[in-house]
Amino acid sequence: MIKIVTDIRGMQEQCDTLRKKGKTLVLIPTMGYLHDGHLSLIREGRKRGDFLVVSIFVNPTQFGPREDFKAYPRDLKRDVELIKPEKVDAVFYPDAQEIYGHGFQTSVRLSKLPKYLCGRSRPIHFTGVATIVAKLFNIVRPHVALFGQKDFQQLLVIRQMVKDLNFDIEIVGVPTVREPEGLAMSSRNAYLTAEQRPAAQSLFQSLEEAKKQVLSGETDAAKIIQSASERIRAYMEAVIDYIIVCDPETLEPMEHITKPALMALAVKIGNTRLIDNMMLLPESGADPNPGR
Ligand code: AMP
């Protein structure tokens, strides 16, 4: 039986006791409605410690007023069934009252990384993310925490926060798990209709195409973005939020791809906002996975 802990004090006490016994604690923060991408984090996490905590919390402070906080899929029973075979030791499942209900007024805000990519159209998002993750780090006090490279900007934000605020936690980035046709797995894929799926798949296809273009010598980021944009715009229901080629450490836009670059995009398919990214590698021998 997986233990479901809903209160902060209970989670803290359990983790403290184990830490004092010399156990290695691993945390995987999620918003639930779990899928194979989350399972990949769990399996990777399992290898890295003795006590594995998966947190499930749809964090209200990282959603803007017109975003899908209310509609976000939630199903604890389904999530617990899915992770039963995975040897998760505890699920931390607090409600918003438990997390923010006590006159809460502090937040963690990064000054540079959130200016780019998703931060442009979601201005409060990364403050919400950094704040909840800092709280989860203080509640569980893990030795290791795992995050997906699908949310590449989030991974960089967390790494930066850990460095800036001296959290003694190893951050592990896990490669993106995809559906057979390439679409990055996401809880939000549940919103997509069968008719919208080809449009959703065009995100991955355009990233793959960009990768090939760079391998065959194209260095002009604008041209690469243009052809990705054309491929995606071919679908009526696709509205591009951004397509960018950028430095994988600072997220600053790059014009010429003369070193490994991150191509990242966000596209709305109907009401569903999807993101994806891929490394573009101009030369052989470059680190294919700097997010790890
Ligand atoms: P979420 O529940 O969407 O907040 O995601 C929780 C964690 O799982 C985050 O670190 C995500 O980056 C990660 N994640 C989500 N989708 C995937 C995926 N397709 N592959 C790998 N990791 C993922």
Side-chain angles (χ1 to χ4, degrees):
M1 269 283 279
I2 300 172
K3 203 165 172 194
I4 297 171
V5 185
T6 55
D7 66 308
I8 292 174
R9 174 84 6 237
M11 192 75 251
Q12 268 174 333
E13 279 172 4
Q14 192 176 356
C15 292
D16 274 349
T17 308
L18 289 160
R19 194 176 314 100
K20 283 185 188 130
K21 285 187 183 154
K23 302 288 184 201
T24 304
L25 274 63
V26 179
L27 172 66
I28 299 171
T30 82
M31 297 206 298
Y33 214 72
L34 304 177
H35 51 67
D36 282 354
H38 298 110
L39 294 187
S40 164
L41 268 64
I42 290 173
R43 286 172 196 151
E44 195 55 47
R46 191 67 270 175
K47 296 184 211 154
R48 292 170 187 264
D50 309 303
F51 190 79
L52 189 117
V53 180
V54 173
S55 64
I56 298 181
F57 180 61
V58 184
N59 176 33
T61 65
Q62 70 190 64
F63 289 78
R66 279 177 297 279
E67 294 179 2
D68 58 344
F69 173 68
K70 280 213 179 100
Y72 199 85
R74 296 159 168 91
D75 191 341
L76 180 66
K77 228 173 119 191
R78 172 188 173 279
D79 287 346
V80 170
E81 280 303 311
L82 197 72
I83 58 178
K84 245 183 204 163
E86 303 296 336
K87 300 208 195 82
V88 170
D89 296 294
V91 170
F92 181 47
Y93 183 69
D95 62 18
Q97 175 66 21
E98 179 69 2
I99 292 289
Y100 294 118
H102 310 285
F104 193 84
Q105 53 180 304
T106 305
S107 57
V108 180
R109 191 182 70 82
L110 285 82
S111 56
K112 288 202 191 108
L113 286 170
K115 285 188 183 157
Y116 303 103
L117 283 67
C118 290
R120 293 174 67 100
S121 54
R122 307 188 74 191
I124 61 157
H125 177 68
F126 290 108
T127 299
V129 168
T131 304
I132 185 61
V133 172
K135 277 173 75 72
L136 292 170
F137 283 175
N138 282 328
I139 294 165
V140 175
R141 288 216 283 131
H143 298 85
V144 183
L146 294 94
F147 295 85
Q149 290 172 5
K150 196 203 81 154
D151 300 274
F152 199 95
Q153 187 172 17
Q154 169 173 280
L155 176 58
L156 292 192
V157 162
I158 302 301
R159 283 195 201 286
Q160 188 69 42
M161 175 186 79
V162 161
K163 186 166 162 249
D164 290 349
L165 300 184
N166 309 99
F167 281 104
D168 188 11
I169 299 171
E170 182 193 351
I171 303 300
V172 178
V174 178
T176 302
V177 176
R178 298 179 179 282
E179 294 187 358
E181 332 75 66
L183 175 64
M185 289 202 169
S186 163
S187 308
R188 289 191 169 96
N189 292 354
Y191 301 143
L192 295 169
T193 64
E195 296 73 41
Q196 288 174 331
R197 286 202 151 245
Q201 277 146 22
S202 73
L203 276 70
F204 171 73
Q205 288 159 359
S206 63
L207 291 169
E208 277 280 293
E209 173 69 24
K211 192 161 103 180
K212 283 190 204 133
Q213 285 171 307
V214 170
L215 273 177
S216 54
E218 182 59 68
T219 58
D220 184 347
K223 278 193 191 154
I224 284 165
I225 291 169
Q226 179 62 27
S227 59
S229 165
E230 279 165 17
R231 184 182 280 267
I232 294 169
R233 278 188 223 278
Y235 295 90
M236 287 282 288
E237 61 272 67
V239 177
I240 295 170
D241 177 358
Y242 65 81
I243 304 179
I244 193 169
V245 174
C246 61
D247 182 296
E249 283 171 20
T250 64
L251 301 181
E252 280 162 21
M254 280 168 63
E255 282 177 23
H256 305 289
I257 307 168
T258 48
K259 59 174 187 151
L262 180 80
M263 181 156 168
L265 39 75
V267 179
K268 265 190 125 177
I269 312 288
N271 290 324
T272 307
R273 188 174 182 279
L274 300 176
I275 59 171
D276 203 347
N277 67 79
M278 199 173 277
M279 287 300 298
L280 306 179
L281 304 170
E283 336 127 318
S284 55
D287 179 0
N289 196 1
R292 203 190 291 260

